[in-house]
Amino acid sequence: MIVAGCDIGSLSAKAVIMEGNTVIGKGVVRAGTNPVDSAKEAMAIALGDSGLSMEKIKKIVATGYGKEMIPFANAVESEIVCHARGAFWNLQTARTVIDIGGQDAKAIRMDKNGNVVRYLYNDKCASGTGRFLEVMADALDVSLDEMGKISSQSKEKLVISNQCVIFAETEVVSLVNEGRAVPDIIKALHTAMAGRVASMVLSIGTEDDIIMTGGVAKNSGLFAALSTSLKKPVHSMKNLDPQITGALGAALIASRMSEQ
Amino acid sequence: MSIVAGCDVGSLTAKAVIMEKGRIISSALLRSKTNPQLSAEAVMQEALSKAGLSMDDIRYCIGTGYGRKNISFVDKDISEIACHGRGARWLNPGARTIIDIGGQDCKAVRLDKDGNVVKFVANDKCASGTGRFLEVMARLLDIPIEEMGSLSSKSTAPITLSSTCTVWAQADIVKYINSGHKIEDIGAGVNSAMAKRAAILANSVGIEQDVCMTGGVAKNEGVVQDLEKLLGKNIKKMRKADPQIAGAIGAAIFAMESLNGRS
């Protein structure tokens, strides 16, 4: 049985194709202005990746903020459930999922079967979301993808006291003008952002193991900062792009639906 | 001569007031420089030269504002809350609820009938509802911040911002601009978003009349009028001096009291 999951986020669209319990194709594209086009594009890449055509897919579940608009989806499921399902499939010992997307952040607690017990969701404040890092990368004129690597070269500890994107950006500009080293500034930004994320996670209570998903989970510097803030190890997705967790969860739900 | 001064070094502007016998004889307002000491010196110097005085003529000087701990020439420093409360009372002796919106913060203070602080709340964690929000939006609309207030009265169909966060609201505004909405309708929506945030703070300390506004945003008539509607109360105009220098006035009054208490 071949199924697919499609996750239409604010900044990127993701698709995952599964056969049985194996991921056989995936696609990630930057979201354009039209969610339907983005979904089609991500799906086309995933199909190409698996060498299949659309007719072979028995069931497709859509998730993400654009989920209701996807014409080829058979069903929709919430982002919370999909992220929990995807993370749990990858790491069965996971009980807490921290998912940071381009414009939101979620903390999800699961039971031993991977069912959602409690969650918290922030899309009201840009702090603690991918946008925080995006704005700072812009201000520092570095690539978003390299922030983790650059922060590992930090030698001196700096403190960024603001968590608000707007105020923290001002602090960054002052630090640059003071002649502070970019790796030190980036490390301080990771710490500030981790503080914001940790306070959200702690408010629903953490249970081991903790796993981080979403595009921001590709940033090794944030992983380190978050582990420090939570005083616990934070796991990463094994052998899988953390950005496709939601799409993976949607595919797993499609798979279960088609079995019934 | 008992000449005193108050110096309020804020995040975006620095203010100085020189008083003699309970009257303002000079005041100055400048954009903040790279460090609080430089801002304080520059603004004080301007106020002094306007009055034809030198620093030696000042018998007592009190500092306030976020940079107050870093001003070398002050005799003492006092919190912004106390200074704004005192300054507002001088501007309007009946003031009981004061809403102060500065460049990077927003405060609400409730005073008892003698002017003592009963309750206060402040937001300096989030840019929304502070002068910064207004500044970011004015820049997007490409109009001077001083002109933001007048947009409200020109607007016939104000937009409603769904996001509170400055970052998300910025994205909303760009969409409104691109979809051809009028500048005045967007500006009116920005002013009303500011008023909404301020109303939350004001209500949480409790509203008692007279209600007054201090800080730079008090000069934005759009925000003031929206806030009046939201609170269902008149906001008393303070014509005695610029509401933006209320903190520095309060500091100067405390300086006068310190001097009197000492002599």
Side-chain angles (χ1 to χ4, degrees), chain A residues 123-124 126 164 166-167 170, chain B residues 104 124-125 127 132 165 167-168:
Chain A
D123 66 347
K124 296 273 175 280
C164 172
I166 300 283
F167 290 158
T170 309
Chain B
Q104 288 191 22
D124 61 356
K125 297 270 177 282
R132 180 62 79 85
C165 175
V167 174
W168 300 151

Side-chain angles (χ1 to χ4, degrees), chain A residues 116-128:
Chain A
V116 175
V117 178
R118 219 178 146 188
Y119 74 90
L120 207 68
Y121 179 61
N122 166 39
D123 66 347
K124 296 273 175 280
C125 163
S127 174

Side-chain angles (χ1 to χ4, degrees), chain B:
Chain B
M1 272 213 298
S2 57
I3 300 175
V4 295
C7 191
D8 177 6
V9 181
S11 56
L12 296 181
T13 56
K15 284 81 67 174
V17 163
I18 300 174
M19 290 183 107
E20 185 178 19
K21 293 179 190 142
R23 270 182 48 243
I24 296 177
I25 57 170
S26 171
S27 69
L29 189 155
L30 292 177
R31 186 106 191 147
S32 290
K33 299 185 184 300
T34 47
N35 79 58
Q37 173 67 19
L38 289 177
S39 309
E41 275 172 11
V43 77
M44 214 36 219
Q45 208 45 60
E46 188 175 321
L48 285 167
S49 65
K50 273 188 196 170
L53 297 171
S54 76
M55 202 63 204
D56 300 333
D57 298 315
I58 307 293
R59 294 278 306 282
Y60 207 93
C61 180
I62 285 182
T64 188
Y66 104 105
R68 68 177 188 268
K69 300 280 180 202
N70 299 307
I71 315 174
S72 61
F73 57 79
V74 299
D75 298 292
K76 198 164 110 180
D77 68 84
I78 294 181
S79 83
E80 296 97 290
I81 304 288
C83 288
H84 272 276
R86 187 55 60 95
R89 290 287 279 202
W90 184 84
L91 290 160
N92 172 13
R96 297 291 291 276
T97 307
I98 297 144
I99 301 154
D100 173 72
I101 310 184
Q104 288 191 22
D105 65 359
C106 178
K107 312 184 251 296
V109 187
R110 187 157 57 83
L111 304 174
D112 66 15
K113 61 178 171 28
D114 303 315
N116 303 307
V117 175
V118 180
K119 201 172 171 190
F120 85 89
V121 289
N123 162 41
D124 61 356
K125 297 270 177 282
C126 164
S128 174
T130 74
R132 180 62 79 85
F133 182 88
L134 214 51
E135 207 174 43
V136 167
M137 303 311 163
R139 205 178 306 142
L140 273 183
L141 294 173
D142 198 22
I143 62 161
I145 195 156
E146 298 78 20
E147 288 170 25
M148 282 296 287
S150 64
L151 295 180
S152 288
S153 58
K154 289 179 197 148
S155 166
T156 48
I159 59 143
T160 304
L161 282 174
S162 53
S163 310
T164 301
C165 175
T166 309
V167 174
W168 300 151
Q170 224 174 330
D172 292 347
I173 298 279
V174 170
K175 276 185 214 149
Y176 281 115
I177 293 173
N178 290 338
S179 61
H181 282 76
K182 289 186 186 142
I183 296 293
E184 56 265 35
D185 291 337
I186 302 173
V190 168
N191 291 337
S192 107
M194 284 288 296
K196 272 182 207 152
R197 284 283 286 201
I200 295 169
L201 285 190
N203 281 320
S204 73
V205 297
I207 305 293
E208 214 162 323
Q209 279 174 310
D210 294 351
V211 182
C212 295
M213 259 187 98
T214 62
V217 178
K219 296 189 234 180
N220 177 315
E221 66 268 33
V223 174
V224 175
Q225 279 157 18
D226 285 331
L227 197 49
E228 284 181 326
K229 271 180 230 151
L230 289 169
L231 299 176
K233 298 276 192 304
N234 255 339
I235 294 175
K236 273 277 162 69
K237 300 276 173 298
M238 301 198 288
R239 297 197 173 82
K240 217 165 153 184
D242 180 350
Q244 197 167 1
I245 64 167
I249 294 173
I253 291 166
F254 280 125
M256 203 162 59
E257 288 171 2
S258 297
L259 190 63
N260 292 341
R262 213 171 49 177
S263 56

Side-chain angles (χ1 to χ4, degrees), chain A:
Chain A
M1 182 77 71
I2 300 171
V3 296
C6 201
D7 176 9
I8 315 304
S10 55
L11 296 181
S12 61
K14 286 81 66 175
V16 164
I17 299 175
M18 289 187 90
E19 181 167 20
N21 207 30
T22 313
V23 174
I24 58 167
K26 59 186 169 62
V28 178
V29 293
R30 185 142 185 115
T33 45
N34 182 342
V36 178
D37 292 345
S38 306
K40 281 182 181 161
E41 215 180 309
M43 204 55 206
I45 296 171
L47 286 168
D49 191 28
S50 60
L52 295 172
S53 65
M54 198 70 169
E55 293 77 54
K56 299 279 187 224
I57 315 287
K58 289 285 165 296
K59 207 144 206 116
I60 302 177
V61 168
T63 189
Y65 101 103
K67 61 180 177 282
E68 306 289 347
M69 288 178 266
I70 311 310
F72 53 77
N74 304 103
V76 296
E77 184 54 86
S78 84
E79 293 97 297
I80 302 291
V81 170
C82 288
H83 275 93
R85 200 59 58 86
F88 189 76
W89 180 82
N90 192 259
L91 181 71
Q92 271 84 44
T93 51
R95 297 292 177 269
T96 308
V97 182
I98 302 168
D99 175 77
I100 310 180
Q103 291 190 13
D104 63 3
K106 317 172 189 68
I108 309 166
R109 242 174 58 210
M110 304 178 293
D111 64 16
K112 61 180 180 0
N113 301 314
N115 299 310
V116 175
V117 178
R118 219 178 146 188
Y119 74 90
L120 207 68
Y121 179 61
N122 166 39
D123 66 347
K124 296 273 175 280
C125 163
S127 174
T129 75
R131 182 59 78 87
F132 180 91
L133 292 175
E134 210 174 36
V135 168
M136 302 312 159
D138 254 9
L140 290 167
D141 200 19
V142 297
S143 141
L144 186 60
D145 304 330
E146 286 181 359
M147 287 182 94
K149 205 174 86 193
I150 299 171
S151 70
S152 69
Q153 294 152 14
S154 166
K155 292 189 181 70
E156 193 195 345
K157 192 184 171 187
L158 296 179
V159 175
I160 290 187
S161 52
N162 285 292
Q163 291 183 341
C164 172
V165 175
I166 300 283
F167 290 158
E169 192 186 8
T170 309
E171 261 189 284
V172 166
V173 173
S174 315
L175 289 171
V176 169
N177 290 340
E178 280 172 25
R180 302 291 186 167
V182 170
D184 297 337
I185 299 175
I186 296 180
K187 191 168 184 191
L189 284 167
H190 288 151
T191 305
M193 174 158 170
R196 175 74 173 82
V197 174
S199 63
M200 180 177 80
V201 177
L202 291 171
S203 72
I204 65 160
T206 58
E207 200 177 320
D208 295 342
D209 290 337
I210 305 170
I211 187 165
M212 178 151 72
T213 66
V216 174
K218 292 180 190 175
N219 179 327
S220 56
L222 191 69
F223 255 102
L226 200 51
S227 297
T228 308
S229 284
L230 293 169
K231 299 183 183 71
K232 279 177 180 178
V234 177
H235 298 267
S236 57
M237 299 280 283
K238 274 189 205 72
N239 309 317
L240 202 73
D241 179 353
Q243 202 170 358
I244 63 164
T245 311
L248 170 67
L252 289 164
I253 289 160
S255 168
R256 185 177 291 185
M257 282 168 71
S258 58
E259 282 163 12
Q260 285 164 359

